[in-house]
Amino acid sequence: MSLFLGLDIGTSAVKAIIVDAEDREQAAAEAPLSIDRPQPLWSEQHPDAWWAAAAAVLDRLAADHPKLMSGVAALGLSGQMLGVALIDAAGRPIRPAPLWNDGRAAAECAELDATVTDFAGLAGARPMPGFSAPKILWLARHEPDATGRTRHILLTKDYVRLCLTGDAISDRADASATLLMDTRAGVWSPRLADACGITVDVLPALVESGAVGGTLRPELAQRFGLRAHLPVAGGAGDNMAGAIGAGVVRAGDAFISLGTSGVYFVANDRFVPARGQGMHTHRHAVPELFGQHGCVLSAASALAWIAGILGVASIERFLAEIEAANLSPAEIPVFSPYLGGERTPHDDPLASATLSNLRAAAGPLHIGRAVLEGVAFAMADCHDALTKAGAAIDTIALVGGGARSRFWGRLIATVIDRPLLLPPLAPLGPALGAARLARQASGGALIGEAEPSATVTLEPDAASRAGLQERREIFRQHYAKMPGS
């Protein structure tokens, strides 16, 4: 039996799964990660933390499932996108990596937009603070000693690949989101690199997501109980790998992901540069396809935040209590989930969260419901931005940890007035996409042939639509009243 290992280096955890040729999960392991915020707007993780967590999950699988590990035919990688890991000539990280939700580089964004003619037409999106290119320019300006010692600039999963294989390689899908690529052509752009104060020779070699991108070091193969010279697939960023995991592999397929952030991804067979509203277009992990993205920077993380404030012991129980409560719509507050700024549609790292329209009757369940609705409203903003940009959206899958709450999913379906599908394998997320890309790299089919259980459809709720739309109007007004908006 051929087996495939998917390794996803997320923001809050590293997850690994082993699946068979028909996508049936055989084993899984997980290790946590934490974020450092040493200054306002900064968000960082040390690359060594990524590797330590990745090694921990592989060690756990080796200890608990040695027979399965010995049968793995290929390994695939997925990871949080846009992180900037500066690596020296010895292969060691020079400093912590600024992450996708780091907002320090607003001035550099404005400079890149002004100095590179039609930046979005070349890269696929306007420069925004979370993206790699402006952060690299910030590092070149503020930490020239660090960038002067840099031999490689790697994305999150690609630093883990360096540790696994010794090779500095990325895939074209994840790499396109750095905004350093001629995205239509799928090659690094010397013009964009030069604008960021670097040269393309510090950027990794590029392969397709489903191609081989290195082989496992012999000593690690022995440590983890894996085959010698195990192929490691090019892999993809978590959005593209999540799309593969959700079966979003044709033009018009879309997904909404409720993870740490909220992502709205639409597959397109045309390259449509995103020139406004905080949207971005990158290459998909499926050749000849592109992905149009909207991103809400705080989604499930907003729920975790309010649960911590309220002292909630179980988020799952909290969600069930919110759903069961007969809350009066007039007593539900309005929440905007801009805890770390916002990308789509505002492109505003300084946007702040608000909780308003509070009444004396409001309690923890009312506030929790407001957070769920606020994320739903923000995802509806993404939906509107994408449709206004001409994205042709056929079916929409709901994925990510938040998709476990069908109640939350129905809120989103109602606000955007579109049904949402719950693919049976979607809870496996980007790790499944990475495993599928591993299978493709070893010569197999991208999507397994197991007969899936029936897909659940979450329909809009006509009875609650009017009240939600009223609160969404209040939600929109709050951002319009923010200073500088």
Side-chain angles (χ1 to χ4, degrees):
M1 178 172 63
S2 294
L3 299 172
F4 305 94
L5 175 59
L7 186 62
D8 175 42
I9 301 88
T11 306
S12 59
V14 171
K15 301 174 184 178
I17 62 168
I18 299 174
V19 302
D20 65 14
E22 285 76 40
D23 288 331
R24 291 184 290 252
E25 180 181 346
Q26 305 297 307
E30 184 172 330
L33 288 168
S34 60
I35 295 177
D36 295 324
R37 300 185 185 276
Q39 295 190 41
L41 300 181
W42 291 28
S43 177
E44 298 183 336
Q45 287 173 333
H46 201 285
D48 282 344
W50 302 333
W51 171 239
V57 299
L58 294 174
D59 281 332
R60 191 169 309 150
L61 288 172
D64 295 345
H65 305 283
K67 186 174 180 180
L68 292 177
M69 289 291 272
S70 68
V72 168
L75 184 156
L77 294 171
S78 168
Q80 55 170 301
M81 297 160 61
L82 314 183
V84 176
L86 304 183
I87 309 301
D88 67 18
R92 299 291 305 134
I94 294 170
R95 69 176 317 282
L99 303 183
W100 55 271
N101 53 357
D102 188 285
R104 75 186 74 177
E108 286 71 24
C109 291
E111 178 180 339
L112 289 172
D113 215 12
T115 57
V116 178
T117 303
D118 194 15
F119 188 105
L122 181 59
R126 293 179 56 249
M128 290 176 277
F131 284 80
S132 308
K135 289 184 299 207
I136 291 169
L137 179 56
W138 188 97
L139 290 167
R141 292 276 169 77
H142 294 268
E143 300 182 13
D145 289 346
T147 52
R149 293 167 48 210
T150 297
R151 179 63 189 90
H152 299 295
I153 298 177
L154 298 178
L155 294 163
T156 303
K157 75 175 193 327
D158 298 323
Y159 177 69
V160 172
R161 183 200 315 277
L162 181 72
C163 296
L164 288 169
T165 70
D167 296 314
I169 294 173
S170 189
D171 69 286
R172 287 185 172 85
D174 202 5
S176 68
T178 63
L179 306 188
L180 294 166
M181 178 184 279
D182 179 336
T183 295
R184 188 193 300 271
V187 296
W188 296 120
S189 167
R191 181 172 154 216
L192 292 173
D194 181 67
C196 294
I198 61 171
T199 56
V200 294
D201 64 341
V202 301
L203 301 174
L206 296 172
V207 299
E208 294 297 334
S209 295
V212 174
T215 57
L216 190 62
R217 295 174 186 262
E219 66 273 19
L220 293 179
Q222 184 174 12
R223 171 179 170 178
F224 301 134
L226 293 165
R227 296 179 184 178
H229 310 296
L230 186 78
V232 177
D238 55 3
N239 289 351
M240 299 80 163
I244 298 293
V248 176
V249 295
R250 294 166 294 273
D253 291 347
F255 75 79
I256 292 173
S257 173
L258 293 176
T260 302
S261 62
V263 174
Y264 199 141
F265 177 106
V266 183
N268 198 332
D269 55 9
R270 297 181 299 117
F271 175 58
V272 182
R275 292 187 166 89
Q277 293 197 284
M279 294 185 298
H280 32 109
T281 296
H282 312 308
R283 296 178 73 89
H284 195 354
V286 179
E288 309 304 324
L289 289 183
F290 299 90
Q292 292 175 266
H293 298 64
C295 183
V296 172
L297 295 182
S298 298
S301 57
L303 179 61
W305 171 80
I306 200 63
I309 295 283
L310 297 174
V312 171
S314 167
I315 290 180
E316 184 177 352
R317 188 179 306 118
F318 187 46
L319 285 166
E321 290 171 352
I322 294 169
E323 181 176 5
N326 185 23
L327 302 178
S328 167
E331 294 169 348
I332 299 172
V334 175
F335 177 73
S336 58
Y338 308 143
L339 293 166
E342 192 55 290
R343 188 176 300 164
T344 310
H346 304 303
D347 185 15
D348 184 358
L350 299 180
S352 57
T354 62
L355 182 64
S356 60
N357 284 45
L358 285 161
R359 298 182 182 274
L365 298 184
H366 296 83
I367 294 172
R369 168 74 181 249
V371 170
L372 299 181
E373 289 187 1
V375 173
F377 297 152
M379 296 310 307
D381 281 350
C382 285
H383 178 81
D384 291 348
L386 286 164
T387 55
K388 287 176 182 175
I393 303 172
D394 294 333
T395 60
I396 310 169
L398 182 66
V399 303
R404 297 188 184 96
S405 171
R406 295 187 182 184
F407 174 67
W408 200 359
R410 281 192 295 272
L411 285 176
I412 297 172
T414 302
V415 177
I416 68 173
D417 199 24
R418 292 285 299 270
L420 301 179
L421 308 179
L422 292 177
L425 297 178
L428 300 180
L432 172 60
R436 285 174 161 174
L437 290 167
R439 181 168 59 226
Q440 188 176 48
S442 66
L446 178 62
I447 307 297
E449 297 180 359
E451 187 67 29
S453 55
T455 297
V456 174
T457 301
L458 304 179
E459 296 286 351
D461 178 14
S464 63
R465 182 179 295 123
L468 284 168
Q469 291 300 339
E470 287 178 7
R471 289 192 292 283
R472 188 182 178 199
E473 285 304 315
I474 299 170
F475 168 89
R476 287 169 162 168
Q477 292 166 16
H478 284 312
Y479 182 80
K481 293 176 182 176
M482 286 182 185
S485 64

